[in-house]
Amino acid sequence: MEAMQDSMAEIQVCEIAIEKSENADVKKFAQAMIDEHGRMGRELEKLAADKGLEVPRQVRPEQELTVDELSSLSGRDFEQRWIQYNIDVHERDTKVFRHYAQDEPDRDIATLAKKHGDALGKHLKAAHDLGKKLAKP
């Protein structure tokens, strides 16, 4: 459930990035995250439905606070906070997905966790690379 909420929150913050940033690298990364997390969310939603699990329809309150915070920022302040959010979330989610890929007894969940854990690892690397670019004056 948290993974689905994380995908929804990622899409929201990346939509803000596309609106607020004038940096082509930020826009490109944000659009890639919207596309990939949208696909990921749909796959997670299908698996949850197949398993009879309730599908969340909104982000967690702390994610809503982050969306509000990012909405209030602009320029370099926005980009720095936004990329740090992306790094933090992708670090956490990569660990969680890799844990489920190894330790989850349900093969369907473990398989999806492996697939998306690998993708999230790539997202994390891309976020770190973009963060280094954005850190330069």
Side-chain angles (χ1 to χ4, degrees), residues 6-7 9 23 30 32 34 36 49 56 58 60 62 74 76 82-83 85 89 94-95 113 118 122 126 134:
D6 287 350
S7 282
N23 183 308
I34 289 169
E36 293 181 35
Q58 59 189 22
R60 295 185 300 280
E62 65 271 17
S74 61
R76 188 169 171 82
W82 172 78
I83 198 61
Y85 168 83
V89 168
T94 299
K95 288 177 189 172
D118 292 345
K122 291 176 185 172
L134 293 175

Side-chain angles (χ1 to χ4, degrees), residues 14 24 35 83:
C14 286
D35 295 344
I83 198 61

Side-chain angles (χ1 to χ4, degrees), residues 5 58-68:
Q5 290 171 310
Q58 59 189 22
V59 297
R60 295 185 300 280
E62 65 271 17
Q63 292 169 315
E64 191 61 45
L65 289 173
T66 300
V67 169
D68 291 346

Side-chain angles (χ1 to χ4, degrees), residues 53-84:
L53 302 172
E54 186 176 334
V55 177
R57 296 290 169 209
Q58 59 189 22
V59 297
R60 295 185 300 280
E62 65 271 17
Q63 292 169 315
E64 191 61 45
L65 289 173
T66 300
V67 169
D68 291 346
E69 174 194 357
L70 288 170
S71 294
S72 72
L73 299 173
S74 61
R76 188 169 171 82
D77 290 338
F78 168 79
E79 289 173 350
Q80 293 297 314
R81 177 66 182 98
W82 172 78
I83 198 61
Q84 189 58 55

